[in-house]
Amino acid sequence: DISSQLLFFLTPFLVFVLDKVFCSSFSVSKFLQISVTMASRGVVLLDFWPSMFGMRIRIALAEKGIPYEYREEDLGSRNKSPLLLKMNPVHKKTPVLIHHGNPVCESLIAVQYIDEVWKDKSPLLPSDSYHRAQARFWADFVDKKIYDGGRKVCSSKGEDQEAAKTEFIESLKLLEGQLGDKPYFAGETFGYVDVALVPFYSWFYAYETCGNFSIEAECPKLIAWAKRCLEKESVAKSLPDKHKVYDFVLHHYT
Amino acid sequence: THTHTKTENKVHVIIYTTEVDYSFCRFDCNMGEVKVIGSRKSQFCTRVEWALKLKGVAYEYLEEDLRNKSPLLLKFNPVHKKVPVLLHDGEPIVESLVILEYIDEKWKENPLLPQEPYERAMARCWAKFVDEKCVFGAWDACRAEGEEEKEKAIGSAQESIAFLEKQIEGKIFFGGEQIGFLDLVVGWIPLWLGVMEEAGGMKLLEAEKFPCLHEWAQNFIKIPLIKECLPPREELANYFQASLSYLRSLAANKP
């Protein structure tokens, strides 16, 4: 209807103005919550465009066909928005999935939440408990090894960088071994571990350029898997351009 | 020890402030053979035992010497080479939080995680926070030397604990009326935090600052099935002292 459409379009402007004028008053935060919820019919993603963690949630929402409002949080500006501080007071980080005004922080937890709430379409976690445990383990492995591993490759030099590259490739090879000859990590269907890992593919070009090495040469099957995932619309539209990511890395990591 | 019985298994648990009846019947439904590879000094292993006991699951415990890892551990956790490892009919599951969720899904008695998706997400979020911030924050405060560094580390650790205080306010357990997922994850606080505080010469869980969490800790540790899985305090204290001395000597020997 017209009034909710109007509110949808006016909301960002109103939020911007009230943000600036009233900063952190209670009434503004309540208004923010209500307007944000109404505008997107319940789902908002507070995100930062190069974040692999944010990409995971974008992919999961797209897989399930859930419309949502994407709100960019400029983490580079060091001025965290009142909404972020309210929704994630503990870590003050993105991404944050907000559903009916309730925040879910931590990307893998948000992806599991999405899978449980919208359970009738494109299930991401396997149905069998043992395979679910395996999926959770490997997603946790990606969190523990790939993010820090890649970051070290970009930000270190000389001997340290060589060591970082070796460790990073080792971790990728472990994942490649886990994939084996299957099209996706869980088998025939795209799932949880794919969602956890594929966002890092948008950073591979940056890692390779910073470290002067080729991931494809070391892990060809993994690259083939990533390209297979990119054939899916949910993945293709959720990952940023690799050159844009590399530019970002140049400005922030090196 | 591992038993398959065809008779009822009943366990009564009474805590001092509220009577909570954990009696349940467990008939052997041929749910398979369960083993835990662990170290009794590790709170990550103890929480797995608590979960199995809460569910009435019989299991065999295999104590691991972490300074001399067994071929069994290396076989079943080749990636991280760490405890705990749950073996169910010979299939390994690793990472304590992953194990807890697996146990919760496989055995339905005394559910650990809430049913509602948002509450489940919150429990998982807080569990991650505890494991990543609280545990290491406390250990950092324990290890810190020098008055300024110590004070800073204590402040930081207490900031994390303050979040937990808020979560337990007005509740008997983190899981509500009964022990839940988060209680098992925070369960290191009564014993392990106490030992860390002694070893590090500091107080983190001050009763006046964190009255609800303090009370929860006192009650939790008195529950028989919780208490019976705890390592002897002295053994744990010696282990922490030894670790601290080792780390400090390493630091002293650095150029």
Side-chain angles (χ1 to χ4, degrees):
Chain A
D1 64 282
I2 303 229
S3 61
S4 88
Q5 291 252 8
L6 207 65
L7 197 63
F8 180 85
F9 287 108
L10 274 182
T11 297
F13 173 73
L14 284 170
V15 160
F16 173 80
V17 167
L18 287 166
D19 238 1
K20 300 296 171 206
V21 174
F22 292 109
C23 283
S24 57
S25 77
F26 172 79
S27 59
V28 174
S29 80
K30 206 64 196 147
F31 176 82
L32 274 174
Q33 216 171 313
I34 297 165
S35 65
V36 148
T37 309
M38 283 176 71
S40 61
R41 275 164 249 108
V43 184
V44 179
L45 176 61
L46 279 182
D47 198 354
F48 180 42
W49 70 267
S51 161
M52 317 78 159
F53 305 106
M55 288 175 222
R56 289 168 170 173
I57 305 182
R58 292 174 223 163
I59 296 170
L61 289 168
E63 276 290 295
K64 303 275 185 178
I66 302 161
Y68 66 97
E69 186 192 340
Y70 178 93
R71 298 194 71 193
E72 184 75 20
E73 185 75 28
D74 184 4
L75 294 181
S77 76
R78 288 174 199 277
N79 268 333
K80 299 192 174 173
S81 73
L83 188 64
L84 176 62
L85 295 176
K86 180 178 158 57
M87 291 292 156
N88 191 357
V90 177
H91 300 293
K92 306 179 180 60
K93 282 196 227 172
T94 58
V96 183
L97 178 76
I98 309 173
H99 189 204
H100 297 310
N102 294 318
V104 182
C105 311
E106 301 294 328
S107 61
L108 290 178
I109 294 173
V111 169
Q112 285 187 79
Y113 173 79
I114 290 166
D115 204 36
E116 288 174 14
V117 173
W118 289 277
K119 55 181 182 280
D120 298 322
K121 183 165 180 206
S122 306
L124 295 170
L125 274 162
S127 48
D128 165 65
S129 312
Y130 179 71
H131 291 110
R132 287 159 80 85
Q134 295 307 306
R136 287 184 174 126
F137 171 77
W138 286 107
D140 175 70
F141 176 84
V142 173
D143 263 1
K144 286 189 160 100
K145 297 282 186 187
I146 307 301
Y147 177 71
D148 277 336
R151 197 173 45 86
K152 272 187 209 162
V153 168
C154 290
S155 56
S156 60
K157 300 219 177 331
E159 250 178 61
D160 287 339
Q161 194 183 50
E162 288 308 306
K165 277 157 66 177
T166 309
E167 206 188 317
F168 184 64
I169 290 290
E170 253 170 49
S171 303
L172 288 179
K173 283 196 161 148
L174 265 171
L175 285 163
E176 195 182 48
Q178 191 55 29
L179 176 70
D181 289 316
K182 308 192 295 284
Y184 302 105
F185 277 89
E188 296 301 313
T189 23
F190 182 78
Y192 189 66
V193 182
D194 307 291
V195 173
L197 181 60
V198 80
F200 289 87
Y201 180 68
S202 63
W203 282 64
F204 278 6
Y205 174 73
Y207 298 148
E208 288 171 320
T209 315
C210 288
N212 190 27
F213 68 122
S214 160
I215 296 177
E216 185 156 16
E218 304 278 354
C219 306
K221 280 190 176 161
L222 204 62
I223 300 299
W225 159 84
K227 290 181 175 164
R228 190 177 306 126
C229 291
L230 270 165
E231 287 169 14
K232 296 176 72 65
E233 199 194 329
S234 59
V235 179
K237 71 180 191 182
S238 302
L239 266 52
D241 171 65
K242 62 186 187 185
H243 293 103
K244 222 180 148 193
V245 170
Y246 177 58
D247 272 333
F248 169 79
V249 169
L250 274 183
H251 285 111
H252 291 91
Y253 283 81
T254 53
Chain B
T1 49
H2 157 129
T3 50
H4 273 305
T5 59
K6 294 246 186 310
T7 56
E8 289 178 8
N9 267 334
K10 272 194 216 165
V11 174
H12 280 275
V13 173
I14 300 169
I15 59 170
Y16 288 29
T17 53
T18 323
E19 192 152 312
V20 179
D21 184 8
Y22 278 103
S23 67
F24 45 78
C25 300
R26 182 160 170 76
F27 298 97
D28 178 36
C29 343
N30 204 23
M31 284 292 273
E33 188 183 64
V34 179
K35 298 189 190 192
V36 176
I37 305 174
S39 161
R40 286 231 146 89
K41 297 185 199 71
S42 159
Q43 67 263 42
F44 303 104
C45 301
T46 309
R47 59 173 68 151
V48 171
E49 285 197 271
W50 285 334
L52 291 168
K53 281 198 190 287
L54 268 172
K55 306 261 181 186
V57 179
Y59 61 95
E60 186 185 345
Y61 191 91
L62 304 166
E63 179 75 15
E64 186 72 26
D65 178 1
L66 295 177
R67 289 160 303 180
N68 189 15
K69 293 179 180 179
S70 71
L72 199 71
L73 175 63
L74 299 175
K75 173 182 173 190
F76 287 117
N77 191 359
V79 176
H80 297 303
K81 306 175 178 58
K82 285 191 192 168
V83 290
V85 177
L86 183 80
L87 287 172
H88 189 198
D89 281 333
E91 299 282 13
I93 298 114
V94 305
E95 291 298 309
S96 66
L97 295 182
V98 176
I99 296 172
L100 288 186
E101 292 219 32
Y102 175 82
I103 292 171
D104 204 29
E105 287 175 18
K106 263 279 180 292
W107 291 278
K108 306 290 182 196
E109 290 90 346
N110 292 322
L112 298 173
L113 275 169
Q115 290 302 311
E116 207 270 311
Y118 187 71
E119 287 176 44
R120 291 161 75 85
M122 289 301 100
R124 287 172 176 142
C125 238
W126 285 114
K128 193 161 189 235
F129 173 76
V130 169
D131 274 0
E132 288 177 2
K133 292 268 172 342
C134 299
V135 176
F136 289 103
W139 182 232
D140 283 343
C142 182
R143 285 172 51 189
E145 293 184 280
E147 210 182 298
E148 216 185 289
E149 199 194 314
K150 195 94 177 168
E151 239 183 82
K152 200 172 162 210
I154 291 174
S156 180
Q158 286 189 324
E159 251 176 56
S160 306
I161 292 175
F163 283 112
L164 290 182
E165 171 74 12
K166 263 193 161 165
Q167 288 304 302
I168 194 66
E169 237 170 62
K171 294 201 256 185
I172 304 170
F173 296 114
F174 285 95
E177 298 290 313
Q178 294 200 294
I179 292 179
F181 185 77
L182 199 50
D183 295 277
L184 299 189
V185 175
V186 185
W188 64 283
I189 280 184
L191 178 63
W192 278 265
L193 181 61
V195 169
M196 273 193 224
E197 285 173 334
E198 243 176 65
M202 52 160 193
K203 191 78 187 143
L204 289 178
L205 186 56
E206 293 168 287
E208 322 83 56
K209 271 192 183 165
F210 311 110
C212 304
L213 191 61
H214 191 259
E215 193 183 334
W216 168 87
Q218 308 277 36
N219 290 333
F220 187 74
I221 204 147
K222 288 179 185 144
I223 300 171
L225 82 71
I226 298 295
K227 201 169 170 181
E228 72 195 26
C229 298
L230 296 174
R233 194 191 174 101
E234 212 180 288
E235 213 181 280
L236 199 62
N238 291 339
Y239 171 73
F240 269 105
Q241 283 291 7
S243 305
L244 262 184
S245 311
Y246 176 69
L247 284 168
R248 282 175 180 159
S249 72
L250 273 185
N253 288 331
K254 274 192 185 148

